[in-house]
Amino acid sequence: MSLTINATAREVQGKGASRRLRRAEQIPAIIYGAGKKPSNITLSVHEITHLLENEDSYSSVLDLMVGKKKEAVIIKDLQRHPAKNIVTHVDFLRINLKQALVTNIPLHFLGTDENESVRLGAILNQFITSVEVSCLPADLPTSIDVDITNLALGEHISLTALDMPKGVTLTALTHGDIEAHDQSVVAVQEAKKMAEVEDDAPVAPETEVAGDDKDADKEGEGDK
């Protein structure tokens, strides 16, 4: 089922205008990408908050309705109020449905409660919690399941062992030397060995459209 968010075109910009929007329970947002001119829009704070309650919204292609015009987008960036955790600005990236996109997808770890070693006191060490993938928008998964039910003490699951959906490629494994980039995803370890594990989880790259020249400077950035 597709996820839809409604918006209206926004002509007035600036911090003052943004404050007035927020007092009216609306927030500023912007759409850019796909070689088109950026568009400033307004969202209902209640509608975007409700949408984000669905975890799939962060990694799905959304139908953005600006009036009667529909655009395929993904959420590129969110800004929140530092104290209230309320969304204050949203960046949407336009998607060409016929062009591959590159984005990060969360990992869902299954079977933790059923894993015998974990139930006996071993530690499940998740080295990464998301992976960067490349695929057509129609093939974009909302998450990747990682089943650790039968993972024994001392064993691990690496990127090459992930069960990837058809048409979805892990970008880390497209650089030629697969072995060099085949990092561990999760491992079951003795609790005393956890202190030896380096906390060096990779920084997640930004979402981008393959081939997009990123020529869309964020208009209206000053009104955030």
Side-chain angles (χ1 to χ4, degrees), residues 193-205:
K193 291 185 177 181
M194 283 299 293
E196 303 173 7
V197 178
E198 295 182 359
D199 184 15
D200 61 350
V203 177

Side-chain angles (χ1 to χ4, degrees), residues 21-215:
L21 283 176
R22 291 170 184 132
R23 285 196 295 267
E25 299 184 326
Q26 297 178 316
I27 61 168
I30 190 170
I31 321 168
Y32 54 89
K36 298 180 181 179
K37 183 179 178 181
S39 300
N40 294 297
I41 57 174
T42 299
L43 306 174
S44 162
V45 68
H46 300 294
E47 186 172 355
I48 187 65
T49 299
H50 179 69
L51 177 72
L52 296 175
E53 290 174 353
N54 184 342
E55 183 183 2
D56 292 349
S57 64
Y58 293 90
S59 53
S60 296
V61 177
L62 310 176
D63 289 334
L64 179 65
M65 301 296 301
V66 184
K68 295 183 179 180
K69 182 181 179 181
K70 180 171 72 174
E71 294 202 66
V73 301
I74 58 175
I75 295 174
K76 177 69 178 289
D77 186 50
L78 288 172
Q79 292 186 18
R80 297 180 183 270
H81 189 283
K84 300 178 181 179
N85 199 36
I86 298 173
V87 177
T88 58
H89 193 278
V90 184
D91 287 13
F92 292 104
L93 179 67
R94 290 188 184 94
I95 296 300
N96 184 336
L97 296 177
K98 297 181 179 180
Q99 184 178 12
L101 61 88
V102 176
T103 191
N104 286 285
I105 299 297
L107 299 176
H108 282 178
F109 295 91
L110 309 176
T112 303
D113 294 339
E114 293 78 23
N115 185 284
E116 182 178 359
S117 296
V118 173
R119 287 194 289 109
L120 294 176
I123 301 297
L124 184 69
N125 188 18
Q126 299 174 7
F127 297 102
I128 56 176
T129 57
S130 66
V131 289
E132 186 182 76
V133 303
S134 174
C135 63
L136 290 172
D139 297 327
L140 182 66
T142 56
S143 63
I144 303 294
D145 290 338
V146 184
D147 189 354
I148 57 93
T149 303
N150 298 314
L151 196 63
L153 184 65
E155 292 183 342
H156 73 281
I157 296 174
S158 62
L159 289 176
T160 52
L162 294 180
D163 186 13
M164 301 299 296
K166 183 179 179 180
V168 181
T169 302
L170 288 168
T171 60
L173 303 180
T174 61
H175 304 299
D177 190 346
I178 293 179
E179 185 176 350
H181 294 89
D182 188 22
Q183 67 184 109
S184 293
V185 173
V186 62
V188 176
Q189 300 175 315
E190 293 182 36
K192 65 180 181 180
K193 291 185 177 181
M194 283 299 293
E196 303 173 7
V197 178
E198 295 182 359
D199 184 15
D200 61 350
V203 177
E206 292 186 350
T207 300
E208 62 184 45
V209 176
D212 190 10
D213 58 7
K214 297 183 181 179
D215 58 354

Side-chain angles (χ1 to χ4, degrees), residues 6-27:
N6 296 293
T8 56
R10 175 168 55 94
E11 302 297 334
V12 181
Q13 301 179 38
K15 293 183 178 179
S18 295
R19 284 193 292 268
R20 289 192 293 273
L21 283 176
R22 291 170 184 132
R23 285 196 295 267
E25 299 184 326
Q26 297 178 316
I27 61 168

